[in-house]
Amino acid sequence: MPMKTLITSLLLSAAILSPASHAAVDPYGYKLPPSMQKKKKVVPPKKKGPPPVDYVGEFVNFGDWKEVREFLDDVAARDGFDRAELNTLMAQVRFVDAAVQLVKPAPPGKPKNWQAYSRLTVEPVRIDGGVKFWNENVDALNRAEALYGVPAEILVGIIGVETVYGRNTGRFRVVDALATLAFSYPEAPQRRDRMAFFRGELESTLLFARQSGIDPLSLKGSFAGAIGMPQFMPSSLMKYAVDFDGDGKIDLLGSSGDAIGSVAAFLVAHGWQREQGGPLVYAAAVSPSREWEPMIKQGLVATYRTAELSAAGVTTTVPVPEQQSYGLVDLQNGAEPTEYWLANANFFAITQYNRSYFYAMSVVELGRAVRLARGGM
């Protein structure tokens, strides 16, 4: 065997037998330097996310359900609908289990955290989108502010928190979601009341569709049946929505003007007071005596004068208008200290849109952030 062939054979044997034989080698068995080694691509394990949402649902023949038939009889008699047409409609309605799952309350145990909540709602995408929305709809916002007395920043804040200015208006067929929740609401202490509520919303949907001359199955919205940029439930749409752009129809999905005017009209109908100018909330401090604690549980209303609050150990760092009434709001922060605020009647009007201190405060904060981003003071 030639000497060169023998050396090559020995080198190959050594490479195969040596502990380093799993390292990269060239055709002659030499270990390649690190710079020439082909690095193995590390693929991180896939994270398991939530299952995709089933927006379409399944056919279950709602028309066979006794409660559905009774509901349709009542609606036909009360509202003058053709019963056969209602049967045809219900034959196309689908059961959406995703709506049932999404309407269930979050499991207990996790403490409320305002700071975490606000990071999800008062964030760059909504602030930047709010500036664009305000600039594009400045005339409608100014007109709504003049007519209803609701500042533009509050209107922008609500539409931004609800749907990011129309980006996320919902992908469920409204009739499917409402029928599912009206007749198959999950087990809960107020199940019967909730089912009655959604039956009323289903009836309102049918009335709105007939009034507007549209197919009720064409309406899309949230898993709970809320519609359009401001996410109005169908009964609120019937009561408070306005044709603010003057085109002869109400369109909360495609018309920013209608959305703006309708939100303002809703707030006025639920207690917004034009004369209460200035801030809606004032940062507060509470005394260790906790004499103020019963004030937290007085409901979503402004009932206390500043003298009563002061006597109970509630103070503010800045003067507040003494002619107004206030409620004491607590914003819990998990393990961190709770924030306390004095809120006037207009703050509580926002809670009628969504019955949550967190929601109302996020509207206030987002609107303020958008105003400042536009260069407002």
Side-chain angles (χ1 to χ4, degrees):
M1 179 183 295
M3 181 61 67
K4 185 176 180 180
T5 303
L6 177 61
I7 291 172
T8 300
S9 177
L10 290 172
L11 287 170
L12 285 169
S13 299
I16 294 170
L17 295 175
S18 70
S21 63
H22 295 291
V25 293
D26 74 354
Y28 296 98
Y30 292 108
K31 184 178 178 181
L32 297 175
S35 61
M36 295 178 63
Q37 292 186 30
K38 186 177 181 181
K39 294 181 180 179
K40 186 178 180 181
K41 187 177 181 181
V42 179
V43 179
K46 285 187 177 180
K47 293 183 179 179
K48 287 187 177 180
V53 176
D54 179 10
Y55 297 101
V56 177
E58 60 180 319
F59 176 72
V60 297
N61 198 358
F62 276 108
D64 284 346
W65 296 16
K66 178 176 178 290
E67 289 186 323
V68 174
R69 293 198 302 271
E70 292 173 350
F71 168 79
L72 296 179
D73 287 341
D74 290 343
V75 167
R78 184 167 48 245
D79 303 318
F81 283 101
D82 182 272
R83 187 65 173 79
E85 290 181 1
L86 291 178
N87 285 340
T88 301
L89 172 67
M90 290 308 295
Q92 302 173 70
V93 175
R94 302 177 74 84
F95 178 90
V96 186
D97 184 64
V100 176
Q101 301 307 317
L102 289 167
V103 83
K104 290 179 179 178
K110 194 170 183 179
K112 294 180 180 179
N113 192 316
W114 157 245
Q115 293 298 333
Y117 181 94
S118 66
R119 283 194 292 271
L120 297 176
T121 52
V122 188
E123 44 81 35
V125 170
R126 280 183 169 86
I127 294 171
D128 293 344
V131 171
K132 183 173 184 291
F133 182 83
W134 195 326
N135 289 339
E136 291 176 347
N137 297 281
V138 65
D139 291 340
L141 288 164
N142 289 344
R143 190 158 52 90
E145 185 166 344
L147 181 62
Y148 294 104
V150 182
E153 66 185 80
I154 297 299
L155 302 173
V156 170
I158 286 178
I159 296 172
V161 170
E162 288 291 343
T163 61
V164 197
Y165 315 103
R167 294 189 197 181
N168 306 321
T169 56
R171 295 168 58 186
F172 294 89
R173 282 200 316 190
V174 169
V175 172
D176 292 345
L178 291 176
T180 299
L181 297 175
F183 301 103
S184 191
Y185 196 87
E187 289 299 327
Q190 294 86 28
R191 182 173 186 263
R192 294 190 69 82
D193 291 342
R194 299 307 293 163
M195 290 172 73
F197 168 78
F198 283 109
R199 289 177 196 186
E201 296 301 330
L202 179 56
E203 183 174 1
S204 292
T205 302
L206 299 177
L207 289 168
F208 174 73
R210 183 175 67 182
Q211 175 182 297
S212 304
I214 61 175
D215 179 358
L217 293 173
S218 69
L219 290 168
K220 290 193 176 182
S222 76
F223 67 87
I227 297 169
M229 293 185 211
Q231 293 289 275
F232 271 24
M233 292 301 290
S235 62
S236 291
L237 195 159
M238 291 289 290
K239 292 176 186 174
Y240 309 114
V242 296
D243 174 21
F244 203 61
D245 63 9
D247 68 351
K249 63 181 180 179
I250 293 173
D251 179 9
L252 298 186
L253 184 62
S255 170
S256 297
D258 287 359
I260 289 165
S262 298
V263 172
F266 179 97
L267 291 176
V268 169
H270 289 82
W272 187 277
Q273 299 174 23
R274 178 191 296 269
E275 61 273 14
Q276 294 207 19
L280 277 63
V281 292
Y282 299 85
V286 294
S287 69
S289 70
R290 305 192 74 82
E291 292 178 34
W292 45 267
E293 199 164 44
M295 294 177 167
I296 293 286
K297 303 167 184 174
Q298 291 304 303
L300 303 176
V301 289
T303 57
Y304 298 105
R305 293 292 187 170
T306 54
E308 297 173 276
L309 291 157
S310 179
V314 181
T315 59
T316 58
T317 56
V318 297
V320 300
E322 294 186 2
Q323 70 275 19
Q324 295 184 15
S325 295
Y326 301 91
L328 183 60
V329 171
D330 62 329
L331 301 180
Q332 299 171 42
N333 279 315
E336 298 299 316
T338 296
E339 295 179 27
Y340 294 94
W341 297 78
L342 293 190
N344 69 14
N346 287 343
F347 177 90
F348 289 106
I350 298 173
T351 66
Q352 302 307 307
Y353 207 103
N354 183 312
R355 299 177 70 82
S356 162
Y357 288 163
F358 280 15
Y359 175 86
M361 185 62 80
S362 68
V363 167
V364 172
E365 292 289 338
L366 177 60
R368 176 177 177 274
V370 173
R371 172 170 55 80
L372 292 175
R374 289 185 76 241
M377 298 301 293

